[in-house]
Structure formats: C-alpha cells, structure tokens
Amino acid sequence: METLHLTDSPADLAVAAKLLAEGEPVAIPTETVYGLAADARNEQAVARIFAAKGRPQDNPLIVHIAAWEQLLPLVTEIPAHAKALAEKYWPGPLTMIFKRSEAIPASVSGGLDTLAIRWPSHPVAQALIRESGCPLAAPSANLSGSPSPTTAARTAADMDGRIAAIVDGGPCEVGVESTVVSLVGDVPQLLRPGYVTAEQIAEVCGDCRVNEAVTKPLKAGEAAASPGMKYKHYAPSARVILLDGSPDASIDYVNAHAGVGVWALAYDGETEGLQVPFITYGARNDEAAQAHAIFEALRRADELGAQILYTSCPRAGGLGLAVYNRLLRAAAFEVIEL
Ligand code: TXA
Ligand code: MG
C-alpha cells in the first residue's frame, strides 16, 4: 500500500477526512504524540489499526472526540469528577475512562466494559474529527512496543506502506502521551502519567490514587488495570539502563562502563566530564522540555548506533513522573542503584 503524505492544508485535510470516513486508518498529529486514527464505530477500520501496529488485541484504544454531543452516546454515565476534570482540562492531554455503552465495538476497548475517551486540543485532530464525522479511535502511531512518534517523519518511519495516509501537523508540543485516569471507581485512579499531573487531578477531585504499575513492574500473573502496562513499551533497540544516584556518581559509573556503543542520555548542561557520547533532552528542572524531547531522543539514540543508553532517574512526581514512567518501561525496569 502506498501511504499518502498529506499537509495540514484544507485540501489535504479534506482528503484525510474522506479516507477516515471510508474506514481507512490515517496517522494524525495531536498535541501529545502522533496517533493512528480510524472510525471508532467501524469494526473493520479498528481492526486495521491493530494490524498496522502489530498491537495485541487485548490492549484497548482511546476514542477521540471534539464535541460534548459525541461523548454522551459512548458512555453509560458521566461521573461528577469527570465533569469537573473535563471543564478544566478538555480539550487537552487528558484521557478519562468511563463505563462503555454499546455504541462502540467491543474490540476498541479490548473486550473491557470501560472506554477511554479524550478530547484533543490540536486543531488538526479536531478538524479531522469534525470533518470525517467520526469519533476516532487512535493509539500512538508507532509500531507496537516502539517509542511513540512526535513528528510526521518518525511516524512515516514506522507506518509507511502500512496505512492510507499520514497528515503532517508539525512536531507535537507535549511529547508524551496523554494522562490516563480512571473515573469508574470512587477515587480517581491514575493509570498513565502525562502532562496533566496526579497532583492537578487531586486538586480538582480531592484525591487521586496512582496505580502501582506506573512505577513498578506487574508481578507474574497480576492483572493490569490498564492492559497497556503489561507490555514492553516505548523501547528503542538500544538497551536503556536507569541510574539512581547523584549526578557525579552517575557520570563516574557511565565512564567506568564506557565502550563501543555505550551512550548517555543526559540533562542539558550536565555533560561535563562524560567520557561517552551523549544526547541531551532538556534541563533537570525543566520537565516539560524533557517530556517534549524524550521519545525523539530515544529514536535518535538508535539512529546514532547506541547499544547501551545510560540515563538518570527523573523525579517521580509532577510531570517528572510521566518521563520517569516512560524511561522505566523503555528500560524494562532495569535500574541500577548507585
Ligand atoms: O496521547 C495519547 O493518549 C495518544 C494520542 C494519539 O491521543 N494515544 C495513545 O494511545 O497514547 P495508546 O493506545 O498508545 O495508549 C492508550 C493507553 C494504553 O496503555 C491502554 O492500555 C490504556 O490507554 N487504555 C485504553 N483504554 C483503556 C481502558 N478502557 N481501561 C484501561 N486502560 C485503557
Ligand atoms: Mg502507545
């Protein structure tokens, strides 16, 4: 299949919207990462998403909407916390989990009786939802297991030849996927950290529980609250290893383990004394910059031939938790205490 490369011009968006309405998957920009979108109501279109990504069937998708009227038919109820969060953070990088109605095929949510929904703020994503007339199921537009793409070029590297079209809307602003919060229980539960933090959710709802799997591997046989958490994820080909220790101790450790293919992923301005090649991804105290750059840095490391990529542990709070969670998974939880 030849993949069309489209711009965000009105004429190109009309082409993309038509493909979506016809049940073809199209990669689209959002403010978080590029998504691989298809009509969420069309079982065959949804099957094409899973096929193009090589995604396990039990890993549920997020449905993207661009109007309140689109939400109501998809869910059985809208809890008060969801209303309050939506008022504050929609449109934006927040996904909420509701009880699912029958309007969406079960395959979209991997057979679960819940449904993840997000109202993205990116104008191109909104235009395509409106013009196609479809609520759009859209996972990140990477091959399953790889780092999420934050540019059209990275999307093309994974998806060329596998889908109908890619719409280029420039680089994604946030850079990590949306925050996923479940509102099905009494207390909001954070299943995936993102730009909207657990602290901000607690401010609106009075409380927010962070699911254990955000920072810990699932135990053997344990069921995942969010099926995506049980898979290897966000991983470049390089072996990522997290170092938990002071900046000096980390640099010493990396230098002591220098060798062919050994690289470091470092904070801006903290590379002095490093004796291995490095990539930087934002200043230590600038978590928004880290989030924006992290996936691109992981893909770049592969391009440059890194085989081992050492990096330090980000802060496990605020937006740092999102960066920490992605790096932990990219490292398959390999952390060395210094
Ligand atoms: O920012 C984003 O959320 C991007 C853009 C394209 O919107 N999308 C995205 O989708 O990251 P995906 O499929 O790569 O990640 C969705 C995550 C997975 O970890 C999945 O397991 C979880 O959300 N999820 C989806 N539906 C769920 C549900 N009903 N219950 C629990 N977890 C769910
Ligand atoms: Mg993903």
Side-chain angles (χ1 to χ4, degrees), residues 28-36 53 55 58-64 93-98 108-110 112-118 120 138-142 148 176-180 182 191-192 224-229 231 233-234 326:
I28 67 168
T30 83
E31 69 277 24
T32 56
V33 299
Y34 273 72
L36 180 51
K53 279 182 63 85
R55 183 175 177 106
D58 68 344
N59 194 358
L61 307 179
I62 296 170
V63 175
H64 297 68
L94 177 69
T95 295
M96 293 195 264
I97 293 180
F98 297 87
V108 170
S109 51
L112 299 174
D113 59 2
T114 53
L115 184 65
I117 300 180
R118 176 161 108 80
S140 49
N142 50 284
S148 300
V176 292
E177 307 87 342
S178 62
T179 305
V180 177
S182 171
L191 300 181
R192 180 175 72 183
S226 174
M229 295 197 289
Y231 296 107
H233 218 149
Y234 315 123
R326 302 314 188 273

Side-chain angles (χ1 to χ4, degrees), residues 241-328:
I241 302 175
L242 293 188
L243 301 176
D244 187 6
S246 71
D248 284 348
S250 301
I251 287 179
D252 288 347
Y253 185 91
V254 172
N255 289 343
H257 292 79
V260 177
V262 175
W263 281 68
L265 177 64
Y267 295 126
D268 293 358
E270 298 191 23
T271 56
E272 215 182 288
L274 263 180
Q275 289 159 13
V276 303
F278 57 82
I279 298 169
T280 58
Y281 78 117
R284 178 184 293 271
N285 60 8
D286 189 349
E287 286 158 355
Q290 294 165 31
H292 178 75
I294 184 66
F295 285 137
E296 180 61 23
L298 292 177
R299 284 182 177 250
R300 185 107 186 93
D302 277 348
E303 242 166 31
L304 292 168
Q307 284 155 30
I308 294 185
L309 185 66
Y310 287 110
T311 187
S312 48
C313 287
R315 179 171 78 98
L319 181 50
L321 186 63
V323 180
Y324 181 47
N325 166 269
R326 302 314 188 273
L327 279 175
L328 269 174

Side-chain angles (χ1 to χ4, degrees), residues 8 13 17 20 66 120 122-133 136:
D8 57 3
L13 292 187
L20 288 165
H122 198 293
V124 171
Q126 290 188 359
L128 289 172
I129 296 166
R130 259 195 324 269
E131 283 186 39
S132 67
L136 294 178

